[in-house]
Amino acid sequence: MNIKKICCIGAGYVGGPTMTVIAQKCPHIEVTVVDLNAERILAWNDENVENIPIYEPGLSSIVAEARGRNLFFSTDVEKAIDEADIIFISVNTPTKTYGKGKNMAADLKYIELCARQIAKVAKSDKIVVEKSTLPVRTAEAIKSILDHTGNGVQFQILSNPEFLAEGTAVEDLLHPDRILIGGDRTPEGQEAIAALVAVYANWVDRDKILTTNVWSSELSKLTANAFLAQRISSINAMSELCEKTGADVNEVARAIGMDSRIGNKFLKASVGFGGSCFQKDILNLVYIAKSYGLHEVADYWEQVIIMNDHQKRRFSNKIVQTLYNTVADKKIAFLGWAFKKDTNDTRESAAIYVADALINEQAKIAVFDPKVSESKVLSDLNYLQSRSSDENKDAISSLDSAYSACKNAHAVAVLTEWDEFKEYDWTKIYESMQKPAFIFDGRNILDKQILEKIGFVYCGIGVL
Ligand code: UDX
Ligand code: UDX
């Protein structure tokens, strides 16, 4: 099968950038990204490409190149499904907030809605690709819906998980470590796999395109995220021990990272990992393991989350303890709100939980993040439902510069590792703050020696 038209359902952090890069690299394929959220589609179509809804370095220029040529954003889901040879499902799969598997299992209601819509609309054979991260054996459910409710057309289901990390999405999409495609072992399944391989082969070496069965592909995605998150919880566990023993976690990370079997990536101690994937995917893994009665496996992976929650709590506790056991009515400046640098995404950001804990202690938080708006900060806090939205408004504000956020503050807390924080005039910041002036570097990005020379009391993660 020769792919001429692609439809992607879900114009989010995964669907938007992925389809943009496919469109750029495959000018002979028409790519339409659809979403139920009309506002989001409007933003993707904004005349000024800097207003697209997702900030990723390098993304807007590729959108400018491909949009209107072979890349389209639309709310007409049915038309796009009808016309496409291949349909990517890239809708969100949040953790369930109700019923069986509450707070653990993935909520598949959007996936099921997509499957039903595809079944209703499709009048010709289609390849349906799971792009969203899903529990193992979801493809089976999608197939069952398509086969039983469809118009008698043939569907092939492929699993093609996305490994891009936010902040480096474009780079990761252009130069992936690997592309993973899972499909049926049947001749039709193999044909569908070959069709998708041919799309990626427009810019990815064939030897980096792995093909597996559907279940291996689905489970590989969860496993990759679990291993990555586990490394962070492992180094964060060591950071606490470092603080007790006088070891320096940055030195420990460097020393172990030089062992080629361990490797030096993903060993940065931090206030805790955030993002839409790690916690959700591990909880999902834990749920699946439990549902098969594999309690030791479930407990093993759950510990990664427990450690991460502990790390976030430990950070806020440390701020309170260091500020003489009270932060009531003290201004604390937050540098960074996004879950990592170079993104405007705040989902599960450690900053939200640290702010919540400090507001419980009646602190006043002043946030500066180069890419996150005040309304986002507030809605993130409101989402926790710890207090009323008016109370949150009173406790937290967002400023348009770090200098104004830090003015008169008792402490600065670095929550996101934005590069620009390293370039600030820290002497000027010091002079504008209450004394003693404290810095809680939740990302270990600032220079302790320089800051101490200026007069700050510096507290990093895993360093004395
Ligand atoms: C999401 C999941 O978080 C991730 O696990 C999965 O791998 C891919 O989907 P992301 O793109 O970051 O990743 O989510 P989000 O930015 O929320 O985008 C999903 C989009 O799907 C939203 O714009 C939403 O409006 C849209 N959507 C959702 C639909 O168009 N139809 C639906 O039925 C449900
Ligand atoms: C992750 C995976 O990396 C990606 O392959 C998958 O497709 C989606 O989930 P993402 O969540 O976008 O990507 O970002 P990532 O770079 O993995 O960072 C996740 C969190 O871990 C961030 O909060 C980050 O700050 C934190 N982190 C990362 C650390 O605390 N220490 C590290 O050494 C690395």
Side-chain angles (χ1 to χ4, degrees), residues 1-8 18-33 62 65-73 80 83-88 127 129 160 192-204 206:
M1 185 195 230
N2 192 9
I3 308 285
K4 293 190 202 67
K5 288 195 179 186
I6 290 177
C7 158
C8 172
T18 309
M19 292 303 129
T20 300
V21 168
I22 291 183
Q24 186 206 25
K25 294 293 179 187
C26 311
H28 54 289
I29 299 178
E30 189 178 307
V31 181
T32 305
V33 192
I62 308 183
E65 178 190 332
R67 200 177 56 185
R69 179 188 72 190
N70 65 326
L71 174 65
F72 303 94
F73 295 93
E83 293 179 351
D85 309 305
I86 185 163
I87 300 153
F88 287 81
I127 300 172
V129 184
N160 171 219
I193 290 179
L196 187 53
V197 168
V199 173
Y200 285 108
N202 283 295
W203 78 98
V204 182
R206 291 259 174 175

Side-chain angles (χ1 to χ4, degrees), residues 425-439:
D425 181 346
W426 283 100
T427 307
K428 186 173 158 193
I429 292 177
Y430 177 78
E431 281 162 4
S432 75
M433 287 175 63
Q434 302 280 345
K435 308 293 174 323
F438 295 90
I439 286 202

Side-chain angles (χ1 to χ4, degrees), residues 211-233:
T211 61
T212 64
N213 75 31
V214 179
W215 327 128
S216 304
S217 171
E218 288 179 338
L219 187 58
S220 298
K221 171 68 195 201
L222 292 183
T223 309
N225 276 349
F227 270 59
L228 289 168
Q230 180 201 40
R231 277 176 77 94
I232 303 169
S233 278

Side-chain angles (χ1 to χ4, degrees), residues 27-96:
H28 54 289
I29 299 178
E30 189 178 307
V31 181
T32 305
V33 192
V34 293
D35 203 296
L36 290 179
N37 183 337
E39 210 181 313
R40 212 166 203 184
I41 290 297
L42 211 62
W44 278 110
N45 282 324
D46 197 298
E47 225 170 284
N48 178 355
V49 281
E50 298 310 322
N51 292 339
I52 55 174
I54 283 162
Y55 173 73
E56 277 292 339
L59 181 62
S60 58
S61 63
I62 308 183
V63 170
E65 178 190 332
R67 200 177 56 185
R69 179 188 72 190
N70 65 326
L71 174 65
F72 303 94
F73 295 93
S74 163
T75 48
D76 195 343
V77 182
E78 300 205 343
K79 178 165 177 278
I81 292 175
D82 179 33
E83 293 179 351
D85 309 305
I86 185 163
I87 300 153
F88 287 81
I89 303 184
S90 205
V91 299
N92 42 335
T93 49
T95 304
K96 270 186 93 172

Side-chain angles (χ1 to χ4, degrees), residues 109 111 154 186 245 315 320 353 359 384 462:
K109 72 178 173 205
I111 298 283
Q154 294 298 311
T186 57
T245 57
F315 188 75
V320 177
Y353 298 92
I359 295 173
L384 294 186

Side-chain angles (χ1 to χ4, degrees), residues 5 35 44 94 99 111 168 195 208 272 274 293 311 357 363 407 415 422:
K5 288 195 179 186
D35 203 296
W44 278 110
I111 298 283
T168 52
K208 286 194 172 169
Q311 189 76 347
K407 197 166 175 220
L415 276 303
K422 292 184 246 176

Side-chain angles (χ1 to χ4, degrees), residues 9-16 34-37 40 54 77 89-94 109-111 113-114 117 131-134 162 166 221 276-277 280-281 345 347:
I9 311 179
Y13 284 89
V14 172
V34 293
D35 203 296
L36 290 179
N37 183 337
R40 212 166 203 184
I54 283 162
V77 182
I89 303 184
S90 205
V91 299
N92 42 335
T93 49
K109 72 178 173 205
Y110 301 128
I111 298 283
L113 276 173
C114 286
Q117 198 167 19
K131 202 49 160 164
S132 307
T133 306
L134 296 167
E162 186 46 66
E166 286 175 33
K221 171 68 195 201
S276 71
C277 289
K280 166 174 74 75
D281 290 353
D345 192 352
R347 286 176 290 180

Side-chain angles (χ1 to χ4, degrees), residues 162-166 221 225 228 232 266-268 270 272-275 277-278 339-340 417 443:
E162 186 46 66
F163 295 100
L164 68 81
E166 286 175 33
K221 171 68 195 201
N225 276 349
L228 289 168
I232 303 169
F266 256 73
L267 283 180
K268 277 191 220 91
S270 69
F273 60 76
C277 289
F278 283 172
F339 83 98
K340 61 184 279 198
E417 72 282 23
R443 296 291 185 161

